[in-house]
Amino acid sequence: MEMLRQRVPLWSPSADAAAARVHRATRGGVRVLGHGDTPALEKLLAADPVANVSVASTVRARRSAGPGKGRNGAVVLGIDGENGLLAACWTGSNIIPVGATAAQGVLFGEAVAAMRRRVASIYGEAEASLALFEATGWTGARDVRPDQPLMAITAPSAVEPLAGARLSASGDFPRLEKASAAMFTEELGFSPYAQGGSQYRERVRGLINAGHSIIAVDPGTSELVFKAEFGAVSPEVVQVQGVWVRPSHRGRGLAGPGMAAVIEHGLRLAPTVSLYVNSYNTAAIRTYERVGFTQVGTFATILF
């Protein structure tokens, strides 16, 4: 992984207070990482670039392992061993353990609970994520998805890419926003606008501007019929999210060629394309296997 350039975030009094609560709750077993821990965190993330791409891409953008700015800035928790950093845990609106065992997940869960943060989800490698969730003692999760195959591919698909699949352009925003909101609501059971419309629209625009959104449009109706995006991108891995086929076009064989096109675009950004999928979505898993993805791990997601 490319060495991150120094940009030290402010260490606020709230971060100091959080660090003290973490120390007390875990009897010194977990600490809040600082900027000086950046090389060690990079090394830990590089040990499994597919599983860790979400945290790796965010840390790379921040250029530091240290706490974010402001009262609600994200922090990275760490567990040390004799030879340095053993495991880490991204702690913001999403909680993501990195390189953790189930026992380390328990420690991170105790630490996260002590920080008293509002959390949207916990996700990552299944064993650590589920142990972390249980250790928090939190109730009221909207959904627990304990078995999500983590899949990857490192070569173009043998399936012919979908004709017309392309990167989104700024003029595609209105229909892409509508399709993305429909997919979000179908997948999670509530509208993305419930969490802030302007923030959601800015995310969609950001994906377009970054070249991380792939779409296909019906030439006859001008309707968007397929979409996917790269939700996390590092020099080693791109992670596919938000795969969607318009309901009226399902069953027409678009998903496989569409994913072949996504793989083709993704391999221009990194040598590996990955995704994770709910184990009960057998149709999607068959499609991903048909285009060449293989399972390399198992994730779990807890939604609040």
Side-chain angles (χ1 to χ4, degrees):
M1 180 178 292
E2 175 184 309
M3 180 61 67
L4 305 181
R5 292 171 290 174
Q6 185 169 356
R7 187 178 69 188
V8 181
L10 296 177
W11 182 272
S12 67
S14 60
D16 283 330
R21 289 196 295 269
V22 164
H23 186 274
R24 286 195 301 271
T26 63
R27 303 158 297 282
V30 177
R31 66 183 178 90
V32 174
L33 300 189
H35 177 72
D37 296 300
T38 302
L41 180 59
E42 286 184 303
K43 182 178 179 180
L44 183 66
L45 291 166
D48 191 343
V50 174
N52 299 333
V53 61
S54 182
V55 176
S57 63
T58 305
V59 170
R60 186 170 185 266
R62 285 163 51 116
R63 303 173 185 173
S64 177
K69 297 180 181 180
R71 181 172 299 276
N72 297 315
V75 301
V76 184
L77 305 177
I79 296 173
D80 296 314
E82 292 183 1
N83 296 317
L85 188 65
L86 292 180
C89 184
W90 175 267
T91 308
S93 59
N94 299 306
I95 309 298
I96 312 169
V98 175
T101 63
Q104 291 163 342
V106 169
L107 277 175
F108 284 135
E110 294 171 348
V112 167
M115 294 175 71
R116 305 170 193 166
R117 283 177 173 260
R118 295 186 65 183
V119 173
S121 72
I122 298 168
Y123 71 90
E125 292 178 293
E127 186 179 63
S129 296
L130 294 170
L132 190 160
F133 171 53
E134 184 175 355
T136 63
W138 292 340
T139 59
R142 287 191 303 104
D143 196 6
V144 178
R145 302 175 179 182
D147 183 6
Q148 298 175 306
L150 175 66
M151 310 182 82
I153 187 170
T154 58
S157 174
V159 174
E160 184 71 20
L162 181 62
R166 59 175 175 81
L167 293 175
S168 301
S170 58
D172 297 311
F173 173 77
R175 54 189 169 187
L176 181 58
E177 180 197 4
K178 185 176 180 180
S180 297
M183 183 267 171
F184 186 103
T185 304
E186 180 180 352
E187 173 71 14
L188 298 180
F190 65 94
S191 168
Y193 302 114
Q195 299 178 334
S198 61
Q199 183 178 2
Y200 185 72
R201 294 184 187 96
E202 193 59 33
R203 170 169 168 72
V204 175
R205 287 194 179 94
L207 290 166
I208 293 172
N209 293 338
H212 294 168
S213 169
I214 311 297
I215 64 169
V217 175
D218 186 313
T221 64
S222 296
E223 290 180 324
L224 191 152
V225 296
F226 174 87
K227 79 161 192 77
E229 58 248 9
F230 303 128
V233 178
S234 77
E236 295 83 16
V237 181
V238 296
Q239 187 179 84
V240 180
Q241 297 177 358
V243 179
W244 180 84
V245 176
R246 179 174 290 278
S248 61
H249 286 66
R250 292 173 188 173
R252 300 187 185 183
L254 295 180
M259 285 305 301
V262 170
I263 293 166
E264 183 177 69
H265 283 279
L267 290 174
R268 296 172 186 168
L269 301 176
T272 300
V273 178
S274 75
L275 54 81
Y276 60 98
V277 57
N278 295 314
S279 60
Y280 55 78
N281 195 345
T282 55
I285 292 173
R286 285 197 298 268
T287 295
Y288 299 147
E289 290 175 339
R290 187 166 70 252
V291 298
F293 282 95
T294 57
Q295 185 170 353
V296 296
T298 302
F299 267 24
T301 298
I302 300 93
L303 300 168
F304 298 96

mmCIF file of all heavy atoms in Angstrom, residues 105-106 109-110 122 128-138 302:
data_model
loop_
_atom_site.group_PDB
_atom_site.id
_atom_site.type_symbol
_atom_site.label_atom_id
_atom_site.label_comp_id
_atom_site.label_asym_id
_atom_site.label_seq_id
_atom_site.Cartn_x
_atom_site.Cartn_y
_atom_site.Cartn_z
ATOM 1 N N GLY A 105 -12.626 -9.430 18.802
ATOM 2 C CA GLY A 105 -13.901 -8.798 18.518
ATOM 3 C C GLY A 105 -14.665 -8.477 19.795
ATOM 4 O O GLY A 105 -15.316 -7.436 19.908
ATOM 5 N N VAL A 106 -14.589 -9.363 20.791
ATOM 6 C CA VAL A 106 -15.233 -9.110 22.078
ATOM 7 C C VAL A 106 -14.654 -7.858 22.723
ATOM 8 O O VAL A 106 -15.384 -6.989 23.222
ATOM 9 C CB VAL A 106 -15.074 -10.331 23.007
ATOM 10 C CG1 VAL A 106 -15.500 -9.987 24.434
ATOM 11 C CG2 VAL A 106 -15.889 -11.501 22.485
ATOM 12 N N GLY A 109 -15.919 -4.880 20.979
ATOM 13 C CA GLY A 109 -17.309 -4.641 21.325
ATOM 14 C C GLY A 109 -17.442 -3.921 22.651
ATOM 15 O O GLY A 109 -18.261 -2.992 22.800
ATOM 16 N N GLU A 110 -16.653 -4.312 23.638
ATOM 17 C CA GLU A 110 -16.657 -3.634 24.937
ATOM 18 C C GLU A 110 -16.211 -2.185 24.786
ATOM 19 O O GLU A 110 -16.774 -1.279 25.408
ATOM 20 C CB GLU A 110 -15.749 -4.379 25.909
ATOM 21 C CG GLU A 110 -16.252 -5.770 26.272
ATOM 22 C CD GLU A 110 -15.241 -6.581 27.057
ATOM 23 O OE1 GLU A 110 -14.057 -6.158 27.134
ATOM 24 O OE2 GLU A 110 -15.630 -7.643 27.591
ATOM 25 N N ILE A 122 -22.603 -2.622 11.840
ATOM 26 C CA ILE A 122 -21.352 -3.329 12.096
ATOM 27 C C ILE A 122 -21.193 -4.298 10.940
ATOM 28 O O ILE A 122 -22.136 -5.016 10.597
ATOM 29 C CB ILE A 122 -21.399 -4.118 13.412
ATOM 30 C CG1 ILE A 122 -21.608 -3.195 14.608
ATOM 31 C CG2 ILE A 122 -20.127 -4.945 13.598
ATOM 32 C CD1 ILE A 122 -21.943 -3.931 15.901
ATOM 33 N N ALA A 128 -15.449 -12.093 13.796
ATOM 34 C CA ALA A 128 -15.154 -10.929 14.635
ATOM 35 C C ALA A 128 -16.348 -9.992 14.733
ATOM 36 O O ALA A 128 -16.634 -9.448 15.807
ATOM 37 C CB ALA A 128 -13.945 -10.185 14.083
ATOM 38 N N SER A 129 -17.070 -9.779 13.636
ATOM 39 C CA SER A 129 -18.196 -8.843 13.642
ATOM 40 C C SER A 129 -19.318 -9.324 14.551
ATOM 41 O O SER A 129 -19.910 -8.543 15.308
ATOM 42 C CB SER A 129 -18.718 -8.650 12.219
ATOM 43 O OG SER A 129 -17.744 -8.046 11.403
ATOM 44 N N LEU A 130 -19.629 -10.619 14.490
ATOM 45 C CA LEU A 130 -20.704 -11.155 15.319
ATOM 46 C C LEU A 130 -20.309 -11.163 16.790
ATOM 47 O O LEU A 130 -21.142 -10.870 17.669
ATOM 48 C CB LEU A 130 -21.076 -12.561 14.850
ATOM 49 C CG LEU A 130 -21.695 -12.619 13.445
ATOM 50 C CD1 LEU A 130 -21.794 -14.066 12.966
ATOM 51 C CD2 LEU A 130 -23.061 -11.951 13.418
ATOM 52 N N ALA A 131 -19.045 -11.486 17.091
ATOM 53 C CA ALA A 131 -18.583 -11.445 18.479
ATOM 54 C C ALA A 131 -18.592 -10.015 19.009
ATOM 55 O O ALA A 131 -18.951 -9.766 20.169
ATOM 56 C CB ALA A 131 -17.172 -12.037 18.576
ATOM 57 N N LEU A 132 -18.196 -9.069 18.162
ATOM 58 C CA LEU A 132 -18.203 -7.656 18.544
ATOM 59 C C LEU A 132 -19.620 -7.212 18.896
ATOM 60 O O LEU A 132 -19.859 -6.580 19.934
ATOM 61 C CB LEU A 132 -17.621 -6.830 17.397
ATOM 62 C CG LEU A 132 -17.303 -5.360 17.633
ATOM 63 C CD1 LEU A 132 -16.299 -4.864 16.590
ATOM 64 C CD2 LEU A 132 -18.538 -4.456 17.595
ATOM 65 N N PHE A 133 -20.560 -7.547 18.028
ATOM 66 C CA PHE A 133 -21.953 -7.160 18.253
ATOM 67 C C PHE A 133 -22.484 -7.735 19.567
ATOM 68 O O PHE A 133 -23.089 -7.027 20.378
ATOM 69 C CB PHE A 133 -22.815 -7.630 17.085
ATOM 70 C CG PHE A 133 -24.295 -7.481 17.306
ATOM 71 C CD1 PHE A 133 -24.836 -6.263 17.677
ATOM 72 C CD2 PHE A 133 -25.141 -8.565 17.142
ATOM 73 C CE1 PHE A 133 -26.207 -6.124 17.887
ATOM 74 C CE2 PHE A 133 -26.499 -8.445 17.347
ATOM 75 C CZ PHE A 133 -27.037 -7.223 17.730
ATOM 76 N N GLU A 134 -22.238 -8.999 19.810
ATOM 77 C CA GLU A 134 -22.729 -9.624 21.031
ATOM 78 C C GLU A 134 -22.141 -8.953 22.268
ATOM 79 O O GLU A 134 -22.821 -8.761 23.284
ATOM 80 C CB GLU A 134 -22.405 -11.112 21.023
ATOM 81 C CG GLU A 134 -22.965 -11.866 22.217
ATOM 82 C CD GLU A 134 -22.748 -13.365 22.133
ATOM 83 O OE1 GLU A 134 -22.237 -13.834 21.106
ATOM 84 O OE2 GLU A 134 -23.096 -14.059 23.106
ATOM 85 N N ALA A 135 -20.855 -8.579 22.187
ATOM 86 C CA ALA A 135 -20.183 -7.981 23.343
ATOM 87 C C ALA A 135 -20.685 -6.580 23.664
ATOM 88 O O ALA A 135 -20.563 -6.123 24.809
ATOM 89 C CB ALA A 135 -18.671 -7.947 23.100
ATOM 90 N N THR A 136 -21.233 -5.880 22.663
ATOM 91 C CA THR A 136 -21.766 -4.539 22.943
ATOM 92 C C THR A 136 -22.971 -4.587 23.871
ATOM 93 O O THR A 136 -23.247 -3.628 24.592
ATOM 94 C CB THR A 136 -22.198 -3.814 21.653
ATOM 95 O OG1 THR A 136 -23.265 -4.539 21.030
ATOM 96 C CG2 THR A 136 -21.033 -3.657 20.685
ATOM 97 N N GLY A 137 -23.737 -5.688 23.813
ATOM 98 C CA GLY A 137 -24.965 -5.765 24.577
ATOM 99 C C GLY A 137 -26.098 -4.957 23.983
ATOM 100 O O GLY A 137 -27.163 -4.817 24.597
ATOM 101 N N TRP A 138 -25.883 -4.443 22.765
ATOM 102 C CA TRP A 138 -26.912 -3.612 22.134
ATOM 103 C C TRP A 138 -28.096 -4.465 21.701
ATOM 104 O O TRP A 138 -27.948 -5.589 21.232
ATOM 105 C CB TRP A 138 -26.335 -2.899 20.914
ATOM 106 C CG TRP A 138 -25.319 -1.857 21.246
ATOM 107 C CD1 TRP A 138 -25.137 -1.233 22.443
ATOM 108 C CD2 TRP A 138 -24.325 -1.314 20.367
ATOM 109 N NE1 TRP A 138 -24.089 -0.332 22.372
ATOM 110 C CE2 TRP A 138 -23.583 -0.371 21.110
ATOM 111 C CE3 TRP A 138 -23.998 -1.551 19.041
ATOM 112 C CZ2 TRP A 138 -22.535 0.353 20.552
ATOM 113 C CZ3 TRP A 138 -22.958 -0.836 18.471
ATOM 114 C CH2 TRP A 138 -22.227 0.118 19.228
ATOM 115 N N ILE A 302 -24.577 -6.300 10.620
ATOM 116 C CA ILE A 302 -25.639 -6.015 11.574
ATOM 117 C C ILE A 302 -26.096 -4.585 11.314
ATOM 118 O O ILE A 302 -25.285 -3.650 11.354
ATOM 119 C CB ILE A 302 -25.149 -6.160 13.034
ATOM 120 C CG1 ILE A 302 -24.644 -7.592 13.286
ATOM 121 C CG2 ILE A 302 -26.269 -5.809 14.004
ATOM 122 C CD1 ILE A 302 -23.171 -7.781 13.084
#
